[in-house]
Amino acid sequence: MKLGLYPKIAADGIRKNGRLYMPYIFTSILMIAVFYIMHLLGFSEMLQNFEGASTARDILKLGTRIMAVFGTIFLFYTQSALIKGRLKEFGLYSVLGMNRKNLGRVIFYEMLMTWAISMTGGLLAGIGLSKLAELGFAKIIGAGVDYSFFISGDSLLCTFIVYSVIFFLIFLNAVRQVRFTRTINLVHADKAGEKPPKANWVIGILGLVILLTGYTIAIKIDSPLSALFWFFIAVILIIVGTYLVLIAGSVLLCRILQKNKKYYYKTNHFVSVSSMAFRMKRNGAGLASICILLTMILVMISSTSALYFNREETLRNRYPNQLNVTTTKNGYVENYKEVVSKIESDVAKMAEENGTATDNVISYCNYSLSGYYGDNKVDIDLDPYSTLSTTLDYDRVVQVYFFSLEDYNRLCGENESLSKGEILLAIDGKLKVGDELAVGNESYKIAKKINFRNSNLRLAIASNVVSTFFVITEDLNGTVYPFKDHADFSGNSILTWNYNYDFDTDLDVDGQVALSKILTGYMQNEFLDQDFYRSLCFCREVERDDFVHTFGGLFFLGILLSIIFLLSCVLIIYYKQISEGFEDQSRFAIMQKVGMTKENIKKSINSQMLTVFIIPIVFACLHLATVLPIVHKLLLLFGHNNIPLLVICAGICVLACGIFYAVTYKLTSNAYYKIVS
Amino acid sequence: MSLLEVTGLKKIYKGRRGGASVEALKNVNFTVEKGEFVAIMGESGSGKTTLLNVLAALDKATSGTVILDGMNLSTIKESAMAKFRRDNLGYVFQDFNLLDTFTLEDNIYLPLVLAGKKHAEMKARLDKLAPSLGIADLLKKYPYEVSGGQKQRAAVARALITDPRIILADEPTGALDSKSSDELLDLFSRVNQMGQTILMVTHSTKAASHASRVMFIKDGIIFHQIYKGSSTDTQMYQKISDTLNLLAQGGDLK
């Protein structure tokens, strides 16, 4: 054989199987382009305007790795689908006298060509789109825009190496596939007889039960801390349930429909129901995977977009005023009133020196301790590591804040009074308390339960991660005095004293930043020793950048990964349908001979296709709806508490996915129709 | 009037881009009376499959007319063709053409379901038909679970269940062993005795000997035909092989 023969056969193979190869090459190109872009934005030192945005860039670095792993898995999967579709052709070659080595050579040239096309196209597309992506990234994270054009040699090289390795692995896999198949099987690869699927009641019902259990857990979760653990349980149950339901449950459903003679023996249902039973047996797992992938996309993009679009509100919840002077001391502070008044007067003085008054001042201090709640008592002697790790009962962890009545009346504009031994109690969380509350060995009579949600008191908690008690008492130091010698497992006092002084200024952004630096310097000089372990001044304008970079980075990564995942999902479905189209060719030919009209064929294809397309997205939406409450609780950890926005973001994501889906559905069903008729 | 009248039938396959065209049917004329069992014999390439495809309305003739029970096939619109086939023709194929995703029962129901019939009616028809075809116990089985002969009997049931005006059979014994072939041919004879018109294309002398009339097709024209009359299957077999011998030697029978 001449040397030129193999490349020629390979090129022919790609050209003749264009319907299979085109989407494959297209996806490879896109993956390579996205990998290049992520690498460029994440790693390249050339992009000066992102220097400050290290968090966002770290997130993209992570994304680059995800892309490498996902690219490998996905390209492996589609390539083996491609090879399967061509086993017959290879079988013919081997009947004509090619040995496995020759076949390997054909495959090698095919891979070489797809690799060359994908790599060239991918790198060119990556370079072409990189500026666009860079501008988008800059816009999202609020960095400066720079109109010079960069091509990063490092990123090109890295992309080239990573995807060349992936392609090489895929090549080895393809050779393995062909080598370990016997010639006769190559020829008859797609003719293997198939048993009709059996309805498996046990697995079907088990799947449904597991799925519903997962749903119930997901809906029932209360606290984000326990959510983390139960979240994983729920996710695993939902994934397993999805697989079982789609594999066994759907066959079961088809069988039940077949039993219903009136429904089954209708022109529209007859063909689709019976072939669906076969289809689901083979594709149940594939559809379940697509469904899980879709759910991931929806959760990822709706949560990151909700975080991103809510960044200002999150920021303002965390930093209600322009500047926040804060100090924290471990243990009992005998002279806290002196400390407070010193900070108050000094800060006011320094603000004045910098040409501004202090407006909207919110000044308060509190003691906090944490314990384990049960039966109207907060137990403060339990070792949390030994207790909690075995019970995982995070729902009973409680944070207790002690405020003075004076601060409370001032902050909330109330005029309450308390006698000795009496407290006001505010509860955040689902814990129930009777008329009395005991903390350690001290017990208090609850004079009144108050709601703090709409008052300035809510600012005292950064996020409602665990349940919280607010205990308001007449004599603050007197109340916490009994706990002063309690030590936690690491030997520190369980009491922590916090002081916050929030205020606005008349200064512009630069002025605020300058003042915050001065105040930080002052606080650290005066109030930073081993007991005062955190004394500084936060400036909202400085923190804003950090918020925007983190949330923007996540959002940008979410968008890129979603695009890739979504495209992959759709491509998997496309391949499934195309390969089924070839299998169904003869079936539809028979039905036409028996008297099926073209219109019947179209209808039956549409109903089949619609089911195959719609099942994953319907399940994905169901999954999304049930995990959304947990997602909300996890977002609380970021300080995000905007349920309507989250729901709107989820809705828009579902809609966008749906539209994208509908378009591919149309394209795929047209391709399918062309094959079978 | 005859059930089926074929006059001046011609079919030319055009070569692509001015390539040589092939005349598969030159000038075919014949009639089939109601209740007849006609076999058409010919070698590979003689045009018999083309003829059957045109009769089954799967293919359009270049010229000439086919009239089935007063209906002219060439005037039926493309869109109504499938319905016409469903209502008037029963087709039995060499390779059975059963759908592997259906049980035998559902395979037999297929044309009726496509016609939108009620399940009760379908069941009544099948209950009447199944015992005489010997498939009553096999209805719940899938095609891969039964033998070739059983598959072909199910295919016959599928052809018969619509009560067609004519059954077209394309090499129905082609994929069967000799025992199954005999059973199937006996079945055809019985069905024919019940009044069903059958037109069968075959190159098996054995199969053709069951027919009441055998037509020979060669190079696209009906070359010769013989009637069974009162002769037995064996005598008919002899007559047919004599004719085939003559044909093979290129002898002129006319």
Side-chain angles (χ1 to χ4, degrees):
Chain A
M1 288 189 201
K2 273 195 285 181
L3 194 71
L5 183 67
Y6 295 111
K8 199 165 165 286
I9 290 178
D12 259 15
I14 293 177
R15 204 160 38 78
K16 294 218 173 98
N17 292 290
R19 205 152 27 189
L20 294 174
Y21 271 91
M22 286 275 280
Y24 177 67
I25 292 176
F26 177 71
T27 319
S28 314
I29 287 178
L30 202 79
M31 284 199 163
I32 292 172
V34 170
F35 184 88
Y36 169 77
I37 290 170
M38 278 199 193
H39 193 277
L40 179 78
L41 296 182
F43 288 92
S44 177
E45 302 302 326
M46 299 167 98
L47 303 170
Q48 307 292 335
N49 46 337
F50 297 141
E51 259 174 0
S54 61
T55 326
R57 300 189 67 180
D58 282 343
I59 292 168
L60 283 188
K61 282 179 190 170
L62 178 74
T64 313
R65 288 180 194 117
I66 295 176
M67 275 304 296
V69 173
F70 182 75
T72 316
I73 297 171
F74 178 75
L75 291 179
F76 249 86
Y77 182 89
T78 35
Q79 170 68 20
S80 60
L82 263 181
I83 288 286
K84 240 180 236 159
R86 305 198 47 207
L87 282 182
K88 198 171 181 180
E89 196 180 324
F90 289 135
L92 185 62
Y93 286 143
S94 76
V95 167
L96 291 175
M98 275 200 192
N99 60 24
R100 298 292 149 90
K101 214 174 190 175
N102 300 135
L103 283 181
R105 225 180 264 191
V106 172
I107 294 173
F108 171 74
Y109 279 108
E110 273 190 15
M111 290 302 293
L112 193 69
M113 284 173 201
T114 33
W115 168 80
I117 298 171
S118 310
M119 196 54 89
T120 324
L123 290 180
L124 286 179
I127 291 169
L129 294 174
S130 65
K131 192 69 209 174
L132 197 67
E134 186 196 321
L135 291 178
F137 185 51
K139 174 128 183 53
I140 283 178
I141 67 168
V145 173
D146 173 350
Y147 286 100
S148 51
F149 191 82
F150 287 110
I151 297 173
S152 158
D154 284 352
S155 299
L156 283 181
L157 190 68
C158 182
T159 313
F160 184 82
I161 291 173
V162 167
Y163 274 83
S164 297
V165 168
I166 293 177
F167 268 89
F168 183 69
L169 291 176
I170 291 170
F171 162 67
L172 290 184
N173 184 47
V175 169
R176 184 194 60 86
Q177 259 183 313
V178 172
R179 182 152 294 185
F180 290 106
T181 317
R182 287 171 47 213
T183 309
I184 187 73
N185 293 346
L186 285 179
V187 182
H188 296 292
D190 57 347
K191 280 273 160 81
E194 197 179 359
K195 286 185 184 177
K198 285 239 161 57
N200 194 330
W201 284 91
V202 179
I203 294 180
I205 290 172
L206 188 72
L208 203 63
V209 168
I210 290 178
L211 188 64
L212 290 179
T213 315
Y215 280 171
T216 319
I217 293 176
I219 292 169
K220 279 217 163 155
I221 289 173
D222 282 335
S223 105
L225 263 192
S226 60
L228 267 180
F229 173 75
W230 286 109
F231 184 57
F232 286 118
I233 301 272
V235 165
I236 289 168
L237 286 180
I238 288 176
I239 289 176
V240 171
T242 309
Y243 274 91
L244 293 183
V245 163
L246 284 186
I247 292 168
S250 49
V251 174
L252 204 61
L253 181 71
C254 289
R255 284 281 172 258
I256 292 169
L257 289 180
Q258 279 180 332
K259 289 255 162 67
N260 182 349
K261 304 264 192 269
K262 267 211 181 109
Y263 176 87
Y264 180 48
Y265 291 107
K266 284 265 159 46
T267 318
N268 289 342
H269 306 149
F270 191 56
V271 175
S272 43
V273 168
S274 64
S275 58
M276 196 59 74
F278 278 81
R279 217 163 289 264
M280 292 312 294
K281 180 189 157 211
R282 263 176 302 165
N283 293 343
L287 288 183
S289 312
I290 293 169
C291 168
I292 300 298
L293 213 55
L294 270 177
T295 314
M296 268 167 58
I297 295 173
L298 290 175
V299 169
M300 182 166 66
I301 194 80
S302 48
S303 57
T304 53
S305 60
L307 268 182
Y308 178 69
F309 290 116
N310 197 48
R311 61 193 184 279
E312 193 60 32
E313 199 189 312
T314 310
L315 180 71
R316 278 174 192 275
N317 275 341
R318 180 71 187 78
Y319 301 103
N321 295 75
Q322 287 171 357
L323 294 174
N324 163 243
V325 176
T326 178
T327 183
T328 304
K329 182 175 175 168
N330 186 246
Y332 177 70
V333 184
E334 179 65 46
N335 59 340
Y336 82 88
K337 285 187 177 159
E338 286 167 38
V339 174
V340 167
S341 60
K342 178 172 165 46
I343 294 177
E344 274 177 1
S345 65
D346 284 357
V347 168
K349 205 171 88 195
M350 269 180 279
E352 205 172 325
E353 281 166 9
N354 281 277
T356 178
T358 50
D359 305 322
N360 306 325
V361 173
I362 300 171
S363 166
Y364 59 87
C365 62
N366 60 44
Y367 283 100
S368 70
L369 58 81
S370 55
Y372 197 58
Y373 181 74
D375 198 20
N376 291 332
K377 184 177 186 332
V378 178
D379 193 334
I380 53 175
D381 292 320
L382 282 175
D383 178 352
Y385 279 122
S386 63
T387 326
L388 294 181
S389 56
T390 50
T391 59
L392 285 162
D393 201 355
Y394 287 104
D395 289 343
R396 289 175 61 197
V397 174
V398 65
Q399 183 88 10
V400 186
Y401 286 93
F402 294 92
F403 282 84
S404 70
L405 183 65
E406 183 197 340
D407 276 357
Y408 171 72
N409 280 340
R410 182 161 42 80
L411 285 177
C412 300
E414 301 284 341
N415 195 12
E416 301 281 351
S417 61
L418 291 169
S419 54
K420 202 168 163 37
E422 276 188 340
I423 58 164
L424 296 176
L425 183 71
I427 303 167
D428 180 38
K430 296 217 164 159
L431 300 180
K432 294 273 180 292
V433 181
D435 292 337
E436 292 207 342
L437 175 71
V439 178
N441 296 325
E442 306 295 310
S443 80
Y444 314 107
K445 187 169 177 301
I446 296 167
K448 193 174 164 190
K449 285 184 186 162
I450 51 172
N451 185 356
F452 72 102
R453 283 249 166 237
N454 300 319
S455 70
N456 285 329
L457 205 58
R458 81 189 137 82
L459 304 173
I461 47 164
S463 62
N464 29 4
V465 173
V466 293
S467 301
T468 311
F469 287 156
F470 293 89
V471 174
I472 289 146
T473 152
E474 174 72 48
D475 176 8
L476 185 58
N477 258 2
T479 308
V480 300
Y481 189 79
F483 312 122
K484 117 182 167 36
D485 295 324
H486 270 278
D488 63 11
F489 57 96
S490 54
N492 294 321
S493 169
I494 58 164
L495 276 180
T496 305
W497 180 76
N498 309 292
Y499 173 68
N500 274 284
Y501 184 79
D502 292 314
F503 65 101
D504 288 337
T505 65
D506 315 326
L507 299 168
D508 60 4
V509 174
D510 291 340
Q512 290 171 29
V513 175
L515 181 56
S516 81
K517 278 182 183 150
I518 295 169
L519 289 175
T520 299
Y522 157 77
M523 289 298 289
Q524 298 202 327
N525 283 331
E526 298 278 324
F527 299 101
L528 197 65
D529 55 39
Q530 60 202 31
D531 286 335
F532 286 99
Y533 53 81
R534 197 188 65 152
S535 295
L536 51 108
C537 173
F538 289 105
C539 174
R540 189 164 70 199
E541 293 306 319
V542 176
E543 299 305 316
R544 170 175 288 126
D545 281 352
D546 199 39
F547 272 61
V548 170
H549 289 163
T550 309
F551 296 159
L554 285 173
F555 183 45
F556 188 71
L557 183 67
I559 293 174
L560 283 188
L561 287 183
S562 298
I563 290 175
I564 292 295
F565 284 6
L566 194 58
L567 217 65
S568 315
C569 277
V570 162
L571 200 65
I572 294 173
I573 302 184
Y574 176 81
Y575 275 125
K576 283 195 173 308
Q577 292 306 308
I578 294 298
S579 63
E580 263 161 29
F582 284 117
E583 279 169 30
D584 285 352
Q585 229 169 2
S586 57
R587 223 167 274 159
F588 276 103
I590 294 171
M591 285 191 265
Q592 264 175 293
K593 282 180 191 165
V594 175
M596 195 174 203
T597 61
K598 296 244 178 210
E599 209 154 301
N600 285 342
I601 294 180
K602 247 188 191 150
K603 263 190 200 157
S604 141
I605 289 175
N606 276 343
S607 84
Q608 274 177 34
M609 202 73 77
L610 206 61
T611 324
V612 170
F613 265 82
I614 252 175
I615 284 174
I617 198 151
V618 164
F619 268 84
C621 288
L622 264 178
H623 291 358
L624 179 68
T626 42
V627 300
L628 216 50
I630 313 187
V631 170
H632 164 243
K633 273 156 198 151
L634 290 174
L635 289 184
L636 281 179
L637 295 174
F638 287 91
H640 177 285
N641 193 6
N642 189 342
I643 296 174
L645 183 72
L646 180 61
V647 172
I648 290 171
C649 284
I652 291 174
C653 296
V654 168
L655 206 68
C657 273
I659 290 172
F660 190 69
Y661 227 68
V663 172
T664 20
Y665 158 70
K666 200 73 212 153
L667 289 176
T668 312
S669 68
N670 282 349
Y672 187 94
Y673 182 73
K674 264 189 205 133
I675 292 171
V676 298
S677 66
Chain B
M1 196 176 72
S2 309
L3 179 69
L4 180 69
E5 287 176 39
V6 178
T7 38
L9 203 59
K10 188 184 255 194
K11 176 72 189 176
I12 300 172
Y13 288 109
K14 283 254 161 52
R16 267 206 296 185
R17 287 191 211 122
S21 51
V22 179
E23 203 171 22
L25 298 176
K26 274 185 189 140
N27 182 17
V28 175
N29 300 287
F30 67 89
T31 57
V32 175
E33 301 302 322
K34 196 168 174 359
E36 259 193 310
F37 181 3
V38 181
I40 297 178
M41 291 196 78
E43 290 173 353
S44 299
S46 60
K48 54 186 195 307
T49 303
T50 306
L51 176 62
L52 207 61
N53 282 344
V54 170
L55 294 184
L58 291 170
D59 206 348
K60 281 254 179 218
T62 312
S63 67
T65 54
V66 178
I67 294 170
L68 179 70
D69 212 5
M71 290 172 285
N72 189 341
L73 256 59
S74 56
T75 61
I76 298 173
K77 281 204 194 96
E78 189 68 38
S79 54
M81 213 50 126
K83 187 178 179 314
F84 170 80
R85 213 178 296 139
R86 202 164 65 206
D87 293 344
N88 301 295
L89 303 174
Y91 211 125
V92 179
F93 305 89
Q94 175 175 353
D95 47 2
F96 326 127
N97 275 348
L98 294 177
L99 294 166
D100 49 8
T101 54
F102 285 125
T103 57
L104 294 187
E105 181 180 16
D106 288 350
N107 262 298
I108 296 168
Y109 284 154
L110 183 62
L112 294 181
V113 173
L114 290 174
K117 293 272 187 293
K118 289 246 170 2
H119 177 250
E121 186 190 340
M122 296 194 276
K123 190 154 173 20
R125 286 201 199 186
L126 183 60
D127 286 347
K128 221 167 67 188
L129 201 60
S132 63
L133 295 176
I135 52 170
D137 300 334
L138 305 170
L139 290 176
K140 296 291 173 203
K141 289 203 183 325
Y142 280 85
Y144 84 101
E145 294 171 302
V146 301
S147 72
Q150 289 166 332
K151 275 188 222 176
Q152 195 61 298
R153 272 182 274 156
V156 172
R158 180 179 64 188
L160 284 173
I161 200 155
T162 54
D163 232 340
R165 287 162 211 264
I166 188 165
I167 292 243
L168 302 172
D170 185 5
E171 299 278 11
T173 59
L176 301 181
D177 59 73
S178 65
K179 187 167 168 286
S180 303
S181 295
D182 289 346
E183 282 171 9
L184 185 79
L185 291 167
D186 286 342
L187 179 65
F188 268 21
S189 301
R190 261 188 290 136
V191 168
N192 175 239
Q193 276 156 24
M194 288 189 278
Q196 177 67 54
T197 317
I198 301 172
L199 180 73
M200 173 174 71
V201 160
T202 183
H203 62 233
S204 153
T205 312
K206 180 81 169 288
S209 66
H210 281 72
S212 56
R213 175 158 62 111
V214 181
M215 291 190 281
F216 297 87
I217 188 168
K218 193 183 178 189
D219 297 333
I221 54 168
I222 300 290
F223 195 76
H224 180 61
Q225 60 177 350
I226 48 181
Y227 285 88
K228 190 173 189 179
S230 56
S231 43
T232 61
D233 281 359
T234 325
Q235 289 165 330
M236 186 65 176
Y237 187 95
Q238 198 54 51
K239 275 199 223 171
I240 295 168
S241 31
D242 291 347
T243 315
L244 286 175
N245 272 336
L246 274 170
L247 275 173
Q249 289 155 15
D252 191 352
L253 290 164
K254 277 183 184 169

